[in-house]
């Protein structure tokens, strides 16, 4: 018996990211076209969260591609207040690649 797992196609990247898609793609080291294609086939996970613990208008953005995690906190105008690029280790730990505040 063979099992066929199919990836479900995902919706386009959310419009309320607050950061340009090209900037995120550049931080992950890929082109914008690849970012959008990887997201469509389910290889990129994008989560935009308006956290109740953050002041109103701030968004917490997480983008996961393979072993790389890009996260940012933006204000209502899309200005990046904090960003970090991290990498998952083999044992599940994170290592910081770059961070700005």
């Amino acid at each position: 018996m063979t099992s066929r797992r199919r990836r479900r196609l995902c919706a386009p990247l959310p419009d309320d990211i607050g950061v340009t898609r090209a900037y995120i793609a550049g931080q992950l080291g890929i082109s914008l076209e690849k970012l959008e294609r990887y997201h469509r086939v389910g290889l990129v996970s994008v989560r935009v969260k308006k956290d109740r613990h953050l002041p109103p208008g701030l968004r917490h953005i997480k983008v996961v591609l393979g072993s790389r995690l890009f996260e940012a906190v933006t204000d209502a105008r899309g200005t990046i207040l904090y960003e970090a690029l991290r990498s998952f280790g083999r044992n599940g730990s994170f290592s910081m690649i770059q961070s700005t505040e």
Side-chain angles (χ1 to χ4, degrees), residues 19-39:
V19 180
T20 63
R21 294 176 183 100
Y23 181 78
I24 294 172
Q27 291 297 314
L28 292 172
I30 59 174
S31 68
L32 177 59
E33 293 79 22
K34 283 186 178 181
L35 176 70
E36 291 174 348
R37 183 176 37 163
Y38 291 166
H39 179 68

mmCIF file of all heavy atoms in Angstrom, residues 19-39:
data_model
loop_
_atom_site.group_PDB
_atom_site.id
_atom_site.type_symbol
_atom_site.label_atom_id
_atom_site.label_comp_id
_atom_site.label_asym_id
_atom_site.label_seq_id
_atom_site.Cartn_x
_atom_site.Cartn_y
_atom_site.Cartn_z
ATOM 1 N N VAL A 19 5.422 44.642 6.282
ATOM 2 C CA VAL A 19 6.784 44.730 5.764
ATOM 3 C C VAL A 19 6.710 44.269 4.313
ATOM 4 O O VAL A 19 5.944 43.371 3.990
ATOM 5 C CB VAL A 19 7.733 43.808 6.566
ATOM 6 C CG1 VAL A 19 9.145 43.878 6.039
ATOM 7 C CG2 VAL A 19 7.691 44.142 8.035
ATOM 8 N N THR A 20 7.499 44.868 3.458
ATOM 9 C CA THR A 20 7.441 44.458 2.061
ATOM 10 C C THR A 20 7.894 43.019 1.907
ATOM 11 O O THR A 20 8.811 42.563 2.591
ATOM 12 C CB THR A 20 8.303 45.367 1.165
ATOM 13 O OG1 THR A 20 9.661 45.233 1.555
ATOM 14 C CG2 THR A 20 7.856 46.806 1.260
ATOM 15 N N ARG A 21 7.233 42.320 1.016
ATOM 16 C CA ARG A 21 7.565 40.912 0.770
ATOM 17 C C ARG A 21 8.994 40.772 0.243
ATOM 18 O O ARG A 21 9.680 39.812 0.551
ATOM 19 C CB ARG A 21 6.568 40.325 -0.216
ATOM 20 C CG ARG A 21 5.188 40.245 0.337
ATOM 21 C CD ARG A 21 4.235 39.749 -0.752
ATOM 22 N NE ARG A 21 2.890 39.741 -0.246
ATOM 23 C CZ ARG A 21 1.997 40.676 -0.501
ATOM 24 N NH1 ARG A 21 2.306 41.684 -1.274
ATOM 25 N NH2 ARG A 21 0.783 40.599 0.010
ATOM 26 N N ALA A 22 9.415 41.739 -0.557
ATOM 27 C CA ALA A 22 10.770 41.692 -1.109
ATOM 28 C C ALA A 22 11.810 41.793 0.006
ATOM 29 O O ALA A 22 12.851 41.142 -0.048
ATOM 30 C CB ALA A 22 10.967 42.820 -2.118
ATOM 31 N N TYR A 23 11.526 42.584 1.032
ATOM 32 C CA TYR A 23 12.455 42.709 2.161
ATOM 33 C C TYR A 23 12.573 41.383 2.902
ATOM 34 O O TYR A 23 13.673 40.943 3.238
ATOM 35 C CB TYR A 23 11.989 43.817 3.108
ATOM 36 C CG TYR A 23 12.920 44.013 4.270
ATOM 37 C CD1 TYR A 23 14.113 44.699 4.107
ATOM 38 C CD2 TYR A 23 12.622 43.489 5.520
ATOM 39 C CE1 TYR A 23 14.990 44.865 5.168
ATOM 40 C CE2 TYR A 23 13.488 43.648 6.583
ATOM 41 C CZ TYR A 23 14.667 44.345 6.402
ATOM 42 O OH TYR A 23 15.534 44.494 7.448
ATOM 43 N N ILE A 24 11.441 40.736 3.151
ATOM 44 C CA ILE A 24 11.451 39.448 3.844
ATOM 45 C C ILE A 24 12.212 38.410 3.022
ATOM 46 O O ILE A 24 13.017 37.656 3.548
ATOM 47 C CB ILE A 24 10.022 38.979 4.147
ATOM 48 C CG1 ILE A 24 9.376 39.917 5.157
ATOM 49 C CG2 ILE A 24 10.010 37.551 4.658
ATOM 50 C CD1 ILE A 24 7.913 39.668 5.389
ATOM 51 N N ALA A 25 11.949 38.385 1.712
ATOM 52 C CA ALA A 25 12.649 37.434 0.835
ATOM 53 C C ALA A 25 14.154 37.680 0.884
ATOM 54 O O ALA A 25 14.944 36.739 0.957
ATOM 55 C CB ALA A 25 12.126 37.558 -0.588
ATOM 56 N N GLY A 26 14.551 38.934 0.862
ATOM 57 C CA GLY A 26 15.974 39.271 0.942
ATOM 58 C C GLY A 26 16.598 38.823 2.248
ATOM 59 O O GLY A 26 17.728 38.335 2.275
ATOM 60 N N GLN A 27 15.882 38.970 3.346
ATOM 61 C CA GLN A 27 16.405 38.538 4.638
ATOM 62 C C GLN A 27 16.565 37.018 4.698
ATOM 63 O O GLN A 27 17.479 36.515 5.329
ATOM 64 C CB GLN A 27 15.480 38.995 5.775
ATOM 65 C CG GLN A 27 15.481 40.486 5.988
ATOM 66 C CD GLN A 27 16.849 40.987 6.410
ATOM 67 O OE1 GLN A 27 17.499 40.418 7.277
ATOM 68 N NE2 GLN A 27 17.288 42.054 5.778
ATOM 69 N N LEU A 28 15.657 36.295 4.014
ATOM 70 C CA LEU A 28 15.750 34.833 3.991
ATOM 71 C C LEU A 28 16.734 34.334 2.947
ATOM 72 O O LEU A 28 17.021 33.141 2.887
ATOM 73 C CB LEU A 28 14.365 34.225 3.738
ATOM 74 C CG LEU A 28 13.354 34.420 4.868
ATOM 75 C CD1 LEU A 28 11.983 33.957 4.423
ATOM 76 C CD2 LEU A 28 13.786 33.684 6.119
ATOM 77 N N GLY A 29 17.231 35.234 2.095
ATOM 78 C CA GLY A 29 18.237 34.861 1.107
ATOM 79 C C GLY A 29 17.675 34.258 -0.161
ATOM 80 O O GLY A 29 18.367 33.493 -0.836
ATOM 81 N N ILE A 30 16.394 34.577 -0.484
ATOM 82 C CA ILE A 30 15.780 34.075 -1.714
ATOM 83 C C ILE A 30 15.127 35.235 -2.450
ATOM 84 O O ILE A 30 14.987 36.330 -1.908
ATOM 85 C CB ILE A 30 14.727 32.975 -1.410
ATOM 86 C CG1 ILE A 30 13.631 33.508 -0.504
ATOM 87 C CG2 ILE A 30 15.380 31.750 -0.824
ATOM 88 C CD1 ILE A 30 12.491 32.542 -0.275
ATOM 89 N N SER A 31 14.709 34.990 -3.686
ATOM 90 C CA SER A 31 14.042 36.028 -4.460
ATOM 91 C C SER A 31 12.563 36.102 -4.063
ATOM 92 O O SER A 31 12.014 35.184 -3.455
ATOM 93 C CB SER A 31 14.161 35.736 -5.953
ATOM 94 O OG SER A 31 13.397 34.591 -6.283
ATOM 95 N N LEU A 32 11.921 37.202 -4.427
ATOM 96 C CA LEU A 32 10.501 37.385 -4.125
ATOM 97 C C LEU A 32 9.660 36.323 -4.815
ATOM 98 O O LEU A 32 8.717 35.782 -4.226
ATOM 99 C CB LEU A 32 10.050 38.779 -4.561
ATOM 100 C CG LEU A 32 8.572 39.109 -4.389
ATOM 101 C CD1 LEU A 32 8.167 38.979 -2.924
ATOM 102 C CD2 LEU A 32 8.274 40.490 -4.902
ATOM 103 N N GLU A 33 10.003 35.972 -6.053
ATOM 104 C CA GLU A 33 9.254 34.956 -6.781
ATOM 105 C C GLU A 33 9.335 33.604 -6.073
ATOM 106 O O GLU A 33 8.347 32.891 -5.962
ATOM 107 C CB GLU A 33 9.764 34.829 -8.223
ATOM 108 C CG GLU A 33 9.508 36.053 -9.082
ATOM 109 C CD GLU A 33 10.511 37.184 -8.833
ATOM 110 O OE1 GLU A 33 11.633 36.919 -8.323
ATOM 111 O OE2 GLU A 33 10.159 38.335 -9.133
ATOM 112 N N LYS A 34 10.533 33.259 -5.579
ATOM 113 C CA LYS A 34 10.680 31.991 -4.866
ATOM 114 C C LYS A 34 9.898 32.010 -3.554
ATOM 115 O O LYS A 34 9.297 31.010 -3.183
ATOM 116 C CB LYS A 34 12.150 31.693 -4.585
ATOM 117 C CG LYS A 34 12.900 31.187 -5.777
ATOM 118 C CD LYS A 34 14.293 30.768 -5.386
ATOM 119 C CE LYS A 34 15.030 30.222 -6.591
ATOM 120 N NZ LYS A 34 16.384 29.792 -6.239
ATOM 121 N N LEU A 35 9.913 33.140 -2.856
ATOM 122 C CA LEU A 35 9.159 33.241 -1.608
ATOM 123 C C LEU A 35 7.676 32.993 -1.857
ATOM 124 O O LEU A 35 7.040 32.212 -1.143
ATOM 125 C CB LEU A 35 9.359 34.612 -0.967
ATOM 126 C CG LEU A 35 8.537 34.877 0.295
ATOM 127 C CD1 LEU A 35 9.046 34.039 1.450
ATOM 128 C CD2 LEU A 35 8.553 36.344 0.656
ATOM 129 N N GLU A 36 7.126 33.630 -2.876
ATOM 130 C CA GLU A 36 5.708 33.455 -3.170
ATOM 131 C C GLU A 36 5.403 32.035 -3.636
ATOM 132 O O GLU A 36 4.402 31.450 -3.249
ATOM 133 C CB GLU A 36 5.256 34.483 -4.203
ATOM 134 C CG GLU A 36 5.256 35.887 -3.622
ATOM 135 C CD GLU A 36 4.965 36.964 -4.639
ATOM 136 O OE1 GLU A 36 4.977 36.673 -5.861
ATOM 137 O OE2 GLU A 36 4.727 38.098 -4.206
ATOM 138 N N ARG A 37 6.286 31.456 -4.434
ATOM 139 C CA ARG A 37 6.074 30.085 -4.902
ATOM 140 C C ARG A 37 6.171 29.090 -3.747
ATOM 141 O O ARG A 37 5.334 28.200 -3.609
ATOM 142 C CB ARG A 37 7.088 29.731 -5.986
ATOM 143 C CG ARG A 37 6.874 28.347 -6.565
ATOM 144 C CD ARG A 37 7.823 28.073 -7.674
ATOM 145 N NE ARG A 37 9.124 28.670 -7.361
ATOM 146 C CZ ARG A 37 10.247 28.358 -7.942
ATOM 147 N NH1 ARG A 37 10.273 27.466 -8.890
ATOM 148 N NH2 ARG A 37 11.381 28.931 -7.611
ATOM 149 N N TYR A 38 7.178 29.247 -2.890
ATOM 150 C CA TYR A 38 7.319 28.365 -1.735
ATOM 151 C C TYR A 38 6.116 28.478 -0.804
ATOM 152 O O TYR A 38 5.687 27.498 -0.210
ATOM 153 C CB TYR A 38 8.592 28.684 -0.962
ATOM 154 C CG TYR A 38 9.887 28.330 -1.667
ATOM 155 C CD1 TYR A 38 11.091 28.819 -1.213
ATOM 156 C CD2 TYR A 38 9.907 27.509 -2.787
ATOM 157 C CE1 TYR A 38 12.288 28.507 -1.837
ATOM 158 C CE2 TYR A 38 11.091 27.190 -3.422
ATOM 159 C CZ TYR A 38 12.275 27.691 -2.946
ATOM 160 O OH TYR A 38 13.453 27.371 -3.566
ATOM 161 N N HIS A 39 5.580 29.692 -0.662
ATOM 162 C CA HIS A 39 4.405 29.867 0.193
ATOM 163 C C HIS A 39 3.185 29.167 -0.408
ATOM 164 O O HIS A 39 2.412 28.550 0.308
ATOM 165 C CB HIS A 39 4.116 31.350 0.414
ATOM 166 C CG HIS A 39 2.919 31.590 1.268
ATOM 167 N ND1 HIS A 39 2.899 31.274 2.600
ATOM 168 C CD2 HIS A 39 1.708 32.077 0.984
ATOM 169 C CE1 HIS A 39 1.718 31.566 3.096
ATOM 170 N NE2 HIS A 39 0.974 32.062 2.134
#
